[in-house]
Amino acid sequence: MTAGERLKLGVLVSGSGSNLQAIIDCIGTGGLNAEINVTISNRAGVYALVRCEKHGIPAVVVRHQDFPAREDYDQRMIEILQSHGVELVVMAGFMRILTPLFLKAFPMQIMNIHPALLPAFPGVHVQQQAIDYGVKFSGCTVHFADEGVDTGPVIIQAVVPVLPQDTADTLAARILKEEHRIYPQAIRFYAEGRLQVSGRKVVVRNAPAVLDQALYNPPLTGFHKEEVC
C-alpha cells in the first residue's frame, strides 16, 4: 500500500455480521481508510448478506458442503479474494478453521476476533465457559490467524467485568460492544502500517501509553490503602 491508498478488505462471515457492520460504519465515518471489496459467506440466507446488499458490497455464498475437501473449499475462497485484490482478510464470525493452504496464501494478512481474553477459553461457547469457571473478567481479542484454534499473535484486547448475575447472553452482549470498538481499530493499525510482528508479540508503533492501573472485581472498597496487603 502507498500512503493514502485505501486498504482492500475481504470479509468472511457465517452469521449476522455485526462486526461486519461495525467495520462498514467505521469506514463510512472516515475512521478507517479501507474498503470492503468482497464478503464471502459459507451459509446462504444469513443477515450479513443483507447488510452487504444494503451497502452495495459484493457478496458471494460459497457453501462448504459443496466441496469434497477443506482444501478445495479454501482454494475457491482464495481465488475469489485474490480476484478482488484483497490485501487483508477479516474473519467476522466465520465459523470454520482455515487450512494451511489458505494461511500460506495470506501470510499474516488474516485477522480474527474472539469473545474471550486469549489464550483463555478458545473455541466456542466461551461466555458460558467463563461464567462456569468463575472468572471475574472476560473480554475479546483480535489476533492474526494461524494453524491453531484461536492461537495466533494478539493484536488488541478489551476487558469487561463478569457480573454475579451474568448469563452467557448478558456477558456476550457486553463483550460484543467492545468487539465493535477494537476490530475496526485493529484493522486501522494494519492499514496505517503500524503493526510489527515478532514471534508471538505484536507491537503497535506510536500507540498511546497504557495506564499502569489495575482493575479489581469486586472493587477494593471499605479498606484504607495501608490495610490492603
Side-chain angles (χ1 to χ4, degrees):
M1 288 180 60
T2 59
E5 185 179 354
R6 302 182 80 183
L7 177 67
K8 299 175 178 62
L9 305 177
V11 183
L12 309 184
V13 297
S14 295
S16 70
S18 70
N19 272 303
L20 167 64
Q21 188 65 56
I23 295 165
I24 292 170
D25 292 344
C26 193
I27 292 172
T29 60
L32 177 57
N33 189 27
E35 58 188 353
I36 301 174
N37 281 23
V38 66
T39 295
I40 300 175
S41 175
N42 67 317
R43 295 175 180 170
V46 297
Y47 193 69
L49 297 172
V50 177
R51 298 181 194 274
C52 290
E53 185 176 1
K54 286 181 178 179
H55 294 277
I57 297 169
V60 182
V61 176
V62 185
R63 289 168 21 102
H64 56 272
Q65 300 95 326
D66 296 338
F67 293 81
R70 299 181 68 87
E71 290 77 10
D72 297 324
Y73 179 79
D74 280 10
Q75 180 59 45
R76 180 59 185 140
M77 288 202 300
I78 291 168
E79 292 168 359
I80 294 170
L81 294 165
Q82 290 180 341
S83 70
H84 284 82
V86 167
E87 298 166 309
L88 179 68
V89 179
V90 178
M91 301 172 70
F94 187 63
M95 303 305 291
R96 287 182 62 81
I97 298 173
L98 299 174
T99 64
L101 177 72
F102 193 99
L103 294 168
K104 289 176 182 177
F106 297 96
M108 284 299 164
Q109 295 171 279
I110 308 167
M111 284 188 186
N112 185 42
I113 191 159
H114 183 72
L117 294 175
L118 294 174
F121 308 123
V124 297
H125 309 304
V126 297
Q127 297 90 348
Q128 189 62 55
Q129 289 184 54
I131 291 170
D132 292 344
Y133 199 87
V135 298
K136 302 302 184 184
F137 290 99
S138 187
C140 46
T141 305
V142 179
H143 63 95
F144 284 113
D146 64 6
E147 294 186 19
V149 178
D150 303 317
T151 56
V154 171
I155 300 167
I156 184 172
Q157 293 181 304
V159 179
V160 303
V162 180
L163 306 180
Q165 68 272 23
D166 264 333
T167 65
D169 288 341
T170 60
L171 179 57
R174 190 176 307 117
I175 292 171
L176 191 60
K177 290 180 180 179
E178 301 308 319
E179 291 183 39
H180 296 165
R181 293 185 175 106
I182 69 170
Y183 214 174
Q185 181 65 75
I187 298 168
R188 181 177 178 177
F189 287 149
Y190 187 96
E192 294 173 346
R194 296 170 60 189
L195 298 181
Q196 180 178 342
V197 183
S198 177
R200 286 213 50 84
K201 292 186 177 181
V202 180
V203 176
V204 181
R205 291 194 290 269
N206 302 318
V210 179
L211 294 177
D212 185 8
Q213 181 176 331
L215 300 174
Y216 304 94
N217 182 18
L220 297 181
T221 59
F223 295 95
H224 295 294
K225 186 178 294 186
E226 60 271 14
E227 293 175 343
V228 179
C229 303

